[in-house]
Amino acid sequence: MKGWFVGAGVAFLTCGGAQAQSMVPAHNGSCPSGTSYAGSGYCRSSSSDVFVPAHNGSCPSGSSYAGSNYCRSSGGRGYVPAHNGSCPSGSSYAGSGYCRL
């Protein structure tokens, strides 16, 4: 196992080897599309997709709505919440209150 990355209230578990996994909390007992229920209130994805909570039903640029109040970004690009509308150095504002890393 490589380690945990926590951002935007979502925990991501990255495992060593050829394929990464991500874990996101289930939303009212349901999981976003492309994931499966892993127990203990979590959903598991066997792809390198990144999931972030949707903000008022909208998703940041470069991601798509995945259901269960989540947005999915393929290709492993991560997002962090914007702080008072500004983003950290090296990232860009992606809309819906997020910065794209």
Side-chain angles (χ1 to χ4, degrees):
M1 180 172 19
K2 296 274 184 188
W4 285 91
F5 168 76
V6 179
V10 180
F12 302 97
L13 174 63
T14 305
C15 299
Q19 196 166 38
Q21 282 189 347
S22 61
M23 292 282 205
V24 294
H27 182 75
N28 294 329
S30 63
C31 293
S33 66
T35 66
S36 59
Y37 189 70
S40 298
Y42 283 92
C43 305
R44 174 186 297 124
S45 171
S46 59
S47 70
S48 62
D49 293 348
V50 173
F51 294 87
V52 294
H55 182 74
N56 294 329
S58 63
C59 294
S61 172
S63 67
S64 59
Y65 190 72
S68 298
N69 202 43
Y70 281 103
C71 304
R72 175 188 8 238
S73 173
S74 43
R77 283 194 96 164
Y79 294 87
V80 293
H83 183 71
N84 294 330
S86 62
C87 294
S89 176
S91 66
S92 59
Y93 188 70
S96 298
Y98 286 101
C99 303
R100 181 178 23 242
L101 302 175

Coordinates of all heavy atoms in Angstrom, one line a residue:
M1 N 0.8 -1.2 0.0 CA 0.0 0.0 0.0 C 0.9 1.2 0.0 O 1.8 1.3 0.7 CB -0.9 0.0 1.2 CG -1.8 1.1 1.3 SD -3.1 1.1 2.6 CE -2.6 -0.1 3.7
K2 N 0.6 2.2 -0.8 CA 1.3 3.4 -0.9 C 1.0 4.4 0.2 O 1.8 5.1 0.7 CB 1.2 4.1 -2.3 CG 1.7 3.2 -3.4 CD 3.1 3.5 -3.6 CE 3.6 2.7 -4.8 NZ 4.9 2.6 -5.0
G3 N -0.4 4.7 0.4 CA -0.7 5.6 1.4 C -2.1 6.2 1.2 O -2.8 5.9 0.2
W4 N -2.5 7.1 2.1 CA -3.8 7.8 2.0 C -3.6 9.2 1.5 O -2.6 9.9 1.8 CB -4.4 7.8 3.4 CG -5.0 6.6 3.8 CD1 -4.3 5.6 4.6 CD2 -6.3 6.0 3.6 NE1 -5.1 4.5 4.8 CE2 -6.4 4.8 4.2 CE3 -7.4 6.5 2.9 CZ2 -7.5 4.0 4.2 CZ3 -8.5 5.7 2.9 CH2 -8.6 4.5 3.6
F5 N -4.6 9.7 0.8 CA -4.7 11.1 0.4 C -6.1 11.6 0.8 O -7.0 11.0 0.4 CB -4.4 11.3 -1.1 CG -4.8 12.7 -1.6 CD1 -4.0 13.8 -1.3 CD2 -5.9 12.9 -2.3 CE1 -4.3 15.1 -1.7 CE2 -6.3 14.2 -2.7 CZ -5.5 15.3 -2.4
V6 N -6.2 12.6 1.6 CA -7.5 13.1 2.0 C -7.7 14.5 1.5 O -6.8 15.4 1.7 CB -7.6 13.0 3.5 CG1 -9.0 13.5 4.0 CG2 -7.4 11.6 4.0
G7 N -8.7 14.7 0.8 CA -9.0 16.0 0.3 C -10.5 16.2 0.0 O -11.2 15.3 -0.3
A8 N -11.0 17.4 0.3 CA -12.5 17.7 0.0 C -13.4 16.7 0.8 O -14.4 16.4 0.3 CB -12.8 17.6 -1.5
G9 N -12.9 16.3 1.9 CA -13.8 15.4 2.7 C -13.8 14.0 2.2 O -14.7 13.2 2.6
V10 N -13.0 13.6 1.3 CA -13.0 12.3 0.6 C -11.6 11.7 0.9 O -10.6 12.3 0.6 CB -13.3 12.4 -0.9 CG1 -13.3 11.0 -1.5 CG2 -14.6 13.1 -1.1
A11 N -11.6 10.4 1.3 CA -10.3 9.7 1.5 C -10.0 8.8 0.3 O -10.9 8.1 -0.2 CB -10.4 8.9 2.7
F12 N -8.8 8.8 -0.2 CA -8.4 8.0 -1.3 C -7.3 7.1 -0.8 O -6.4 7.5 -0.2 CB -7.9 8.9 -2.5 CG -8.8 9.9 -3.0 CD1 -8.8 11.2 -2.5 CD2 -9.8 9.5 -3.9 CE1 -9.7 12.1 -3.0 CE2 -10.7 10.5 -4.3 CZ -10.6 11.8 -3.9
L13 N -7.5 5.8 -1.1 CA -6.5 4.8 -0.8 C -5.8 4.4 -2.0 O -6.4 3.9 -3.0 CB -7.1 3.6 -0.1 CG -6.2 2.5 0.2 CD1 -5.1 2.9 1.2 CD2 -7.0 1.3 0.8
T14 N -4.5 4.6 -2.1 CA -3.7 4.2 -3.3 C -2.9 2.9 -2.9 O -2.1 2.9 -2.0 CB -2.8 5.3 -3.7 OG1 -3.5 6.5 -3.9 CG2 -2.1 4.9 -5.0
C15 N -3.1 1.9 -3.7 CA -2.3 0.6 -3.4 C -1.2 0.5 -4.4 O -1.3 1.0 -5.6 CB -3.3 -0.6 -3.6 SG -4.6 -0.5 -2.4
G16 N -0.2 -0.2 -4.1 CA 0.9 -0.4 -5.0 C 0.5 -1.4 -6.1 O -0.6 -2.0 -6.0
G17 N 1.3 -1.5 -7.1 CA 1.0 -2.4 -8.2 C 0.5 -1.6 -9.4 O 0.5 -0.4 -9.5
A18 N -0.1 -2.4 -10.3 CA -0.5 -1.8 -11.6 C -1.8 -1.0 -11.5 O -2.0 -0.1 -12.3 CB -0.7 -2.9 -12.6
Q19 N -2.6 -1.2 -10.5 CA -3.9 -0.6 -10.5 C -4.2 0.1 -9.1 O -3.9 -0.5 -8.1 CB -5.0 -1.6 -10.8 CG -6.3 -0.9 -11.1 CD -7.3 -1.9 -11.8 OE1 -7.3 -3.0 -11.4 NE2 -8.0 -1.5 -12.8
A20 N -4.7 1.3 -9.1 CA -4.9 2.0 -7.9 C -6.4 1.8 -7.5 O -7.2 1.5 -8.4 CB -4.6 3.5 -8.1
Q21 N -6.7 2.0 -6.3 CA -8.1 1.9 -5.8 C -8.4 3.2 -5.1 O -7.5 3.8 -4.5 CB -8.3 0.8 -4.8 CG -8.4 -0.6 -5.4 CD -8.8 -1.6 -4.3 OE1 -8.8 -1.3 -3.1 NE2 -9.2 -2.7 -4.8
S22 N -9.6 3.6 -5.1 CA -10.0 4.8 -4.3 C -11.3 4.4 -3.5 O -12.0 3.5 -4.0 CB -10.3 6.0 -5.2 OG -11.3 5.8 -6.1
M23 N -11.4 5.0 -2.4 CA -12.5 4.8 -1.5 C -13.2 6.1 -1.2 O -12.5 7.1 -1.0 CB -12.1 4.2 -0.2 CG -11.5 2.8 -0.2 SD -12.8 1.6 -0.4 CE -12.0 0.2 0.3
V24 N -14.5 6.1 -1.3 CA -15.3 7.3 -1.0 C -16.4 6.9 -0.1 O -16.9 5.8 -0.2 CB -15.8 8.0 -2.3 CG1 -14.7 8.5 -3.2 CG2 -16.7 7.1 -3.1
P25 N -16.8 7.8 0.8 CA -18.0 7.5 1.6 C -19.2 7.4 0.8 O -19.5 8.1 -0.2 CB -18.1 8.7 2.5 CG -16.8 9.4 2.5 CD -16.2 9.1 1.1
A26 N -20.1 6.4 1.1 CA -21.4 6.2 0.5 C -22.2 7.4 0.9 O -22.1 7.9 2.0 CB -22.0 4.9 0.9
H27 N -23.1 7.8 -0.1 CA -24.0 9.0 0.2 C -25.4 8.4 0.4 O -26.0 7.9 -0.5 CB -23.9 10.0 -1.0 CG -24.8 11.2 -0.8 ND1 -24.4 12.2 0.1 CD2 -26.0 11.5 -1.3 CE1 -25.4 13.1 0.0 NE2 -26.3 12.7 -0.8
N28 N -25.9 8.5 1.6 CA -27.2 8.0 2.0 C -27.3 6.5 1.5 O -28.3 6.0 1.0 CB -28.3 8.8 1.3 CG -28.4 10.2 1.9 OD1 -28.1 10.4 3.0 ND2 -28.8 11.1 1.1
G29 N -26.2 5.7 1.7 CA -26.2 4.3 1.4 C -26.0 3.9 0.0 O -26.0 2.8 -0.4
S30 N -25.9 4.9 -0.9 CA -25.7 4.6 -2.3 C -24.3 5.1 -2.8 O -23.7 6.0 -2.2 CB -26.8 5.2 -3.2 OG -26.7 6.6 -3.1
C31 N -23.8 4.4 -3.9 CA -22.5 4.6 -4.4 C -22.5 5.3 -5.8 O -23.5 5.0 -6.5 CB -21.7 3.3 -4.5 SG -21.3 2.5 -2.9
P32 N -21.5 6.1 -6.1 CA -21.5 6.6 -7.5 C -21.3 5.5 -8.5 O -20.8 4.4 -8.2 CB -20.3 7.6 -7.5 CG -19.5 7.3 -6.2 CD -20.4 6.5 -5.3
S33 N -21.7 5.8 -9.7 CA -21.5 4.8 -10.8 C -20.1 4.5 -11.0 O -19.2 5.3 -10.8 CB -22.1 5.3 -12.1 OG -21.4 6.4 -12.6
G34 N -19.8 3.2 -11.3 CA -18.4 2.8 -11.5 C -17.7 2.3 -10.2 O -16.6 2.0 -10.2
T35 N -18.5 2.4 -9.1 CA -18.0 1.9 -7.8 C -18.9 0.8 -7.2 O -20.0 0.7 -7.7 CB -17.8 3.1 -6.8 OG1 -19.1 3.5 -6.4 CG2 -17.0 4.2 -7.3
S36 N -18.4 0.1 -6.2 CA -19.2 -0.9 -5.6 C -19.2 -0.7 -4.1 O -18.2 -0.1 -3.5 CB -18.8 -2.3 -5.9 OG -17.4 -2.4 -5.6
Y37 N -20.2 -1.1 -3.4 CA -20.2 -0.9 -1.9 C -19.2 -1.8 -1.3 O -19.1 -3.0 -1.6 CB -21.6 -1.2 -1.4 CG -21.8 -0.8 0.1 CD1 -21.8 0.5 0.5 CD2 -21.9 -1.8 1.1 CE1 -21.9 0.9 1.8 CE2 -22.0 -1.4 2.4 CZ -22.0 -0.1 2.8 OH -22.1 0.3 4.1
A38 N -18.4 -1.2 -0.4 CA -17.3 -2.0 0.2 C -17.5 -2.3 1.7 O -16.7 -2.8 2.4 CB -16.0 -1.2 0.1
G39 N -18.7 -1.9 2.2 CA -19.0 -2.1 3.6 C -18.6 -0.9 4.4 O -17.8 0.0 4.0
S40 N -19.1 -0.8 5.7 CA -18.7 0.2 6.6 C -19.0 1.6 6.1 O -18.3 2.6 6.4 CB -17.3 0.1 7.1 OG -17.1 -1.1 7.7
G41 N -19.9 1.8 5.2 CA -20.3 3.1 4.7 C -19.4 3.6 3.6 O -19.4 4.8 3.3
Y42 N -18.6 2.7 2.9 CA -17.7 3.2 1.9 C -18.0 2.5 0.5 O -18.5 1.4 0.5 CB -16.2 2.9 2.3 CG -15.7 3.9 3.2 CD1 -15.8 3.7 4.6 CD2 -15.2 5.1 2.8 CE1 -15.4 4.6 5.5 CE2 -14.7 6.0 3.7 CZ -14.8 5.8 5.1 OH -14.3 6.7 6.0
C43 N -17.6 3.2 -0.5 CA -17.7 2.7 -1.9 C -16.3 2.6 -2.4 O -15.4 3.4 -2.2 CB -18.5 3.6 -2.8 SG -20.1 4.0 -2.2
R44 N -16.0 1.5 -3.2 CA -14.7 1.2 -3.8 C -14.7 1.3 -5.3 O -15.6 0.8 -5.9 CB -14.3 -0.2 -3.4 CG -12.9 -0.6 -4.0 CD -12.6 -2.1 -3.7 NE -12.4 -2.3 -2.3 CZ -13.1 -3.2 -1.6 NH1 -14.0 -3.9 -2.1 NH2 -12.8 -3.3 -0.3
S45 N -13.7 2.0 -5.8 CA -13.5 2.0 -7.3 C -12.1 1.3 -7.5 O -11.1 1.5 -6.9 CB -13.4 3.5 -7.7 OG -13.0 3.5 -9.1
S46 N -12.2 0.4 -8.6 CA -10.9 -0.3 -8.9 C -10.2 0.5 -10.0 O -9.2 0.0 -10.5 CB -11.2 -1.7 -9.3 OG -12.1 -1.7 -10.4
S47 N -10.7 1.6 -10.4 CA -10.0 2.4 -11.5 C -9.2 3.5 -10.8 O -9.2 3.7 -9.6 CB -11.0 3.0 -12.4 OG -11.8 4.0 -11.8
S48 N -8.5 4.3 -11.6 CA -7.7 5.4 -11.1 C -8.6 6.7 -11.1 O -8.0 7.8 -10.9 CB -6.5 5.6 -11.9 OG -6.8 5.9 -13.3
D49 N -9.9 6.6 -11.3 CA -10.8 7.7 -11.2 C -10.7 8.4 -9.9 O -10.6 7.7 -8.9 CB -12.2 7.4 -11.6 CG -12.3 6.9 -13.0 OD1 -11.4 7.1 -13.8 OD2 -13.4 6.4 -13.4
V50 N -10.9 9.7 -9.9 CA -10.9 10.5 -8.6 C -12.4 10.9 -8.4 O -13.0 11.4 -9.4 CB -10.0 11.7 -8.7 CG1 -10.1 12.6 -7.5 CG2 -8.5 11.2 -8.8
F51 N -12.9 10.8 -7.2 CA -14.2 11.2 -6.9 C -14.2 12.4 -5.9 O -13.5 12.3 -4.9 CB -15.0 10.1 -6.3 CG -15.3 9.0 -7.3 CD1 -14.3 8.0 -7.5 CD2 -16.4 8.9 -8.1 CE1 -14.6 6.9 -8.4 CE2 -16.6 7.9 -9.0 CZ -15.7 6.9 -9.1
V52 N -15.0 13.4 -6.2 CA -15.1 14.5 -5.2 C -16.6 14.8 -5.1 O -17.4 14.5 -6.0 CB -14.4 15.8 -5.7 CG1 -12.9 15.6 -5.7 CG2 -14.9 16.3 -7.1
P53 N -17.0 15.3 -3.9 CA -18.5 15.6 -3.8 C -18.9 16.7 -4.7 O -18.2 17.7 -5.0 CB -18.6 16.1 -2.3 CG -17.3 15.6 -1.6 CD -16.3 15.5 -2.7
A54 N -20.1 16.6 -5.3 CA -20.7 17.6 -6.1 C -21.0 18.8 -5.2 O -21.4 18.6 -4.1 CB -21.9 17.1 -6.8
H55 N -21.0 20.0 -5.8 CA -21.3 21.2 -5.0 C -22.6 21.8 -5.6 O -22.6 22.3 -6.7 CB -20.1 22.2 -5.2 CG -20.4 23.5 -4.4 ND1 -20.3 23.5 -3.0 CD2 -20.7 24.7 -4.8 CE1 -20.5 24.8 -2.6 NE2 -20.8 25.5 -3.7
N56 N -23.7 21.7 -4.8 CA -25.0 22.1 -5.2 C -25.4 21.5 -6.6 O -25.9 22.1 -7.4 CB -25.1 23.6 -5.3 CG -24.9 24.3 -4.0 OD1 -25.4 23.8 -3.0 ND2 -24.3 25.5 -4.0
G57 N -25.0 20.2 -6.7 CA -25.3 19.5 -8.0 C -24.5 19.7 -9.1 O -24.7 19.1 -10.2
S58 N -23.4 20.6 -9.0 CA -22.6 20.8 -10.1 C -21.2 20.3 -9.9 O -20.7 20.1 -8.7 CB -22.5 22.3 -10.5 OG -22.0 23.0 -9.4
C59 N -20.4 20.0 -11.0 CA -19.1 19.4 -10.9 C -18.1 20.4 -11.4 O -18.3 21.2 -12.3 CB -19.1 18.1 -11.7 SG -20.2 16.8 -11.1
P60 N -16.8 20.2 -10.9 CA -15.7 21.1 -11.5 C -15.4 20.7 -12.9 O -15.7 19.6 -13.4 CB -14.6 20.8 -10.6 CG -14.9 19.5 -9.8 CD -16.4 19.4 -9.8
S61 N -14.9 21.7 -13.6 CA -14.5 21.5 -15.0 C -13.5 20.3 -15.1 O -12.7 20.1 -14.3 CB -13.8 22.7 -15.5 OG -13.2 22.5 -16.8
G62 N -13.7 19.4 -16.1 CA -12.9 18.3 -16.3 C -13.4 17.0 -15.6 O -12.8 16.0 -15.7
S63 N -14.6 17.1 -14.9 CA -15.2 16.0 -14.3 C -16.6 15.9 -14.8 O -17.1 16.8 -15.4 CB -15.1 16.1 -12.8 OG -15.9 17.2 -12.3
S64 N -17.2 14.7 -14.4 CA -18.6 14.5 -14.8 C -19.4 14.0 -13.6 O -18.8 13.4 -12.7 CB -18.7 13.5 -16.0 OG -18.1 12.3 -15.6
Y65 N -20.7 14.2 -13.6 CA -21.5 13.8 -12.5 C -21.6 12.2 -12.5 O -21.9 11.6 -13.5 CB -22.9 14.4 -12.6 CG -23.7 14.1 -11.3 CD1 -23.4 14.8 -10.1 CD2 -24.8 13.2 -11.3 CE1 -24.1 14.6 -9.0 CE2 -25.5 13.0 -10.1 CZ -25.2 13.7 -9.0 OH -25.9 13.4 -7.8
A66 N -21.3 11.6 -11.4 CA -21.3 10.2 -11.3 C -22.5 9.6 -10.4 O -22.5 8.4 -10.2 CB -20.0 9.7 -10.7
G67 N -23.4 10.4 -10.0 CA -24.5 10.0 -9.2 C -24.1 10.0 -7.7 O -22.9 10.2 -7.3
S68 N -25.1 9.8 -6.8 CA -24.9 9.8 -5.4 C -24.1 11.0 -4.9 O -23.4 11.0 -3.9 CB -24.1 8.6 -5.0 OG -24.9 7.4 -5.3
N69 N -24.4 12.2 -5.5 CA -23.8 13.5 -5.2 C -22.3 13.5 -5.3 O -21.6 14.2 -4.6 CB -24.2 13.9 -3.7 CG -24.0 15.4 -3.5 OD1 -24.4 16.2 -4.4 ND2 -23.5 15.8 -2.4
Y70 N -21.7 12.7 -6.3 CA -20.3 12.7 -6.6 C -20.0 13.1 -8.0 O -20.8 12.9 -8.9 CB -19.7 11.4 -6.3 CG -19.4 11.1 -4.9 CD1 -20.2 10.3 -4.1 CD2 -18.3 11.7 -4.2 CE1 -20.0 10.0 -2.8 CE2 -18.1 11.4 -2.9 CZ -18.9 10.6 -2.2 OH -18.7 10.3 -0.9
C71 N -18.8 13.7 -8.2 CA -18.3 13.9 -9.5 C -17.1 13.0 -9.7 O -16.3 12.8 -8.8 CB -17.8 15.4 -9.6 SG -19.1 16.6 -9.3
R72 N -16.9 12.6 -11.0 CA -15.7 11.7 -11.3 C -14.8 12.4 -12.3 O -15.3 12.9 -13.3 CB -16.2 10.4 -11.9 CG -15.1 9.5 -12.3 CD -15.5 8.2 -13.1 NE -16.9 8.2 -13.4 CZ -17.7 7.2 -13.1 NH1 -17.3 6.2 -12.4 NH2 -19.0 7.3 -13.5
S73 N -13.5 12.2 -12.0 CA -12.5 12.7 -13.0 C -11.7 11.5 -13.3 O -11.1 10.9 -12.5 CB -11.7 13.8 -12.3 OG -10.6 14.1 -13.2
S74 N -11.6 11.2 -14.6 CA -10.7 10.1 -15.0 C -9.3 10.6 -15.3 O -9.1 11.8 -15.5 CB -11.3 9.4 -16.2 OG -11.7 10.3 -17.2
G75 N -8.4 9.7 -15.3 CA -7.0 10.1 -15.5 C -6.2 10.5 -14.3 O -5.1 10.9 -14.4
G76 N -6.9 10.3 -13.1 CA -6.1 10.6 -11.9 C -5.9 12.0 -11.5 O -5.1 12.3 -10.6
R77 N -6.5 13.0 -12.2 CA -6.3 14.4 -11.8 C -7.1 14.6 -10.5 O -8.3 14.3 -10.4 CB -6.8 15.3 -12.9 CG -5.9 15.4 -14.0 CD -6.2 16.6 -14.9 NE -5.4 17.7 -14.5 CZ -5.3 18.8 -15.2 NH1 -5.9 18.9 -16.4 NH2 -4.6 19.8 -14.8
G78 N -6.4 15.2 -9.5 CA -7.1 15.5 -8.3 C -7.6 16.9 -8.1 O -7.3 17.8 -8.9
Y79 N -8.5 17.1 -7.2 CA -9.1 18.3 -6.9 C -8.9 18.6 -5.4 O -9.0 17.7 -4.6 CB -10.6 18.3 -7.2 CG -10.8 18.2 -8.7 CD1 -10.9 16.9 -9.3 CD2 -11.0 19.3 -9.5 CE1 -11.2 16.8 -10.6 CE2 -11.2 19.1 -10.9 CZ -11.3 17.9 -11.4 OH -11.5 17.8 -12.8
V80 N -8.8 19.9 -5.0 CA -8.9 20.3 -3.6 C -9.9 21.5 -3.6 O -10.1 22.2 -4.6 CB -7.5 20.8 -3.1 CG1 -6.5 19.6 -3.0 CG2 -6.9 21.9 -3.9
P81 N -10.5 21.7 -2.4 CA -11.4 22.8 -2.3 C -10.7 24.1 -2.4 O -9.6 24.3 -1.9 CB -12.0 22.6 -0.9 CG -11.7 21.3 -0.4 CD -10.5 20.9 -1.2
A82 N -11.3 25.1 -3.1 CA -10.8 26.4 -3.2 C -11.0 27.1 -1.9 O -11.9 26.8 -1.2 CB -11.5 27.2 -4.3
H83 N -10.1 27.9 -1.5 CA -10.1 28.6 -0.2 C -10.5 30.1 -0.4 O -9.6 30.8 -1.0 CB -8.8 28.5 0.6 CG -8.9 29.1 1.9 ND1 -9.6 28.5 3.0 CD2 -8.3 30.2 2.4 CE1 -9.4 29.3 4.0 NE2 -8.7 30.3 3.7
N84 N -11.7 30.5 -0.1 CA -12.1 31.8 -0.3 C -12.0 32.2 -1.8 O -11.6 33.3 -2.2 CB -11.4 32.9 0.5 CG -11.7 32.7 2.0 OD1 -12.8 32.2 2.3 ND2 -10.8 33.0 2.9
G85 N -12.2 31.2 -2.7 CA -12.1 31.5 -4.1 C -10.8 31.5 -4.7 O -10.6 31.7 -5.9
S86 N -9.7 31.2 -3.9 CA -8.4 31.1 -4.5 C -7.8 29.7 -4.4 O -8.2 28.9 -3.6 CB -7.5 32.2 -3.8 OG -7.3 31.8 -2.5
C87 N -6.9 29.5 -5.3 CA -6.3 28.1 -5.4 C -4.8 28.2 -5.1 O -4.1 29.2 -5.2 CB -6.4 27.6 -6.9 SG -8.1 27.4 -7.3
P88 N -4.2 27.0 -4.6 CA -2.8 27.0 -4.3 C -2.0 27.1 -5.6 O -2.4 26.8 -6.7 CB -2.6 25.6 -3.6 CG -3.8 24.8 -4.0 CD -4.9 25.8 -4.3
S89 N -0.7 27.5 -5.4 CA 0.2 27.6 -6.5 C 0.3 26.3 -7.2 O 0.4 25.2 -6.6 CB 1.6 28.0 -5.9 OG 2.5 28.1 -6.9
G90 N 0.3 26.4 -8.6 CA 0.4 25.2 -9.4 C -0.9 24.6 -9.7 O -0.9 23.6 -10.5
S91 N -2.0 25.1 -9.2 CA -3.3 24.6 -9.5 C -4.1 25.7 -10.2 O -3.7 26.8 -10.3 CB -4.0 24.1 -8.3 OG -4.3 25.1 -7.4
S92 N -5.3 25.3 -10.8 CA -6.1 26.3 -11.4 C -7.6 26.1 -10.9 O -8.0 25.0 -10.6 CB -6.0 26.1 -12.9 OG -6.4 24.8 -13.3
Y93 N -8.3 27.2 -11.0 CA -9.7 27.1 -10.5 C -10.5 26.3 -11.5 O -10.5 26.5 -12.7 CB -10.3 28.5 -10.3 CG -11.7 28.4 -9.7 CD1 -11.8 28.1 -8.4 CD2 -12.8 28.7 -10.4 CE1 -13.1 28.0 -7.7 CE2 -14.1 28.6 -9.8 CZ -14.2 28.3 -8.5 OH -15.4 28.2 -7.9
A94 N -11.3 25.3 -11.0 CA -12.0 24.4 -11.9 C -13.5 24.6 -11.8 O -14.3 23.8 -12.4 CB -11.7 22.9 -11.6
G95 N -14.0 25.6 -11.0 CA -15.4 25.8 -10.8 C -16.0 24.9 -9.7 O -15.3 24.1 -9.2
S96 N -17.2 25.2 -9.3 CA -17.9 24.5 -8.2 C -17.1 24.5 -6.9 O -17.2 23.5 -6.2 CB -18.2 23.1 -8.7 OG -19.1 23.1 -9.8
G97 N -16.3 25.5 -6.7 CA -15.6 25.5 -5.4 C -14.3 24.7 -5.3 O -13.8 24.4 -4.3
Y98 N -13.8 24.2 -6.5 CA -12.6 23.3 -6.5 C -11.5 23.9 -7.3 O -11.7 24.6 -8.3 CB -13.0 22.0 -7.1 CG -13.8 21.1 -6.2 CD1 -15.2 20.9 -6.3 CD2 -13.2 20.4 -5.1 CE1 -15.9 20.2 -5.4 CE2 -13.9 19.6 -4.3 CZ -15.3 19.5 -4.4 OH -16.0 18.7 -3.6
C99 N -10.3 23.5 -7.0 CA -9.1 23.7 -7.8 C -8.6 22.4 -8.3 O -8.6 21.4 -7.6 CB -8.0 24.4 -6.9 SG -8.5 25.9 -6.0
R100 N -8.2 22.4 -9.6 CA -7.6 21.2 -10.2 C -6.1 21.2 -10.0 O -5.4 22.2 -10.4 CB -8.0 21.2 -11.7 CG -7.5 19.9 -12.4 CD -7.9 19.8 -13.9 NE -8.2 21.1 -14.5 CZ -9.4 21.4 -15.0 NH1 -10.4 20.5 -14.9 NH2 -9.7 22.6 -15.5
L101 N -5.6 20.1 -9.5 CA -4.1 20.0 -9.3 C -3.4 19.6 -10.6 O -4.0 19.0 -11.5 CB -3.9 18.9 -8.3 CG -4.5 19.1 -6.9 CD1 -4.3 18.0 -6.0 CD2 -4.0 20.4 -6.3

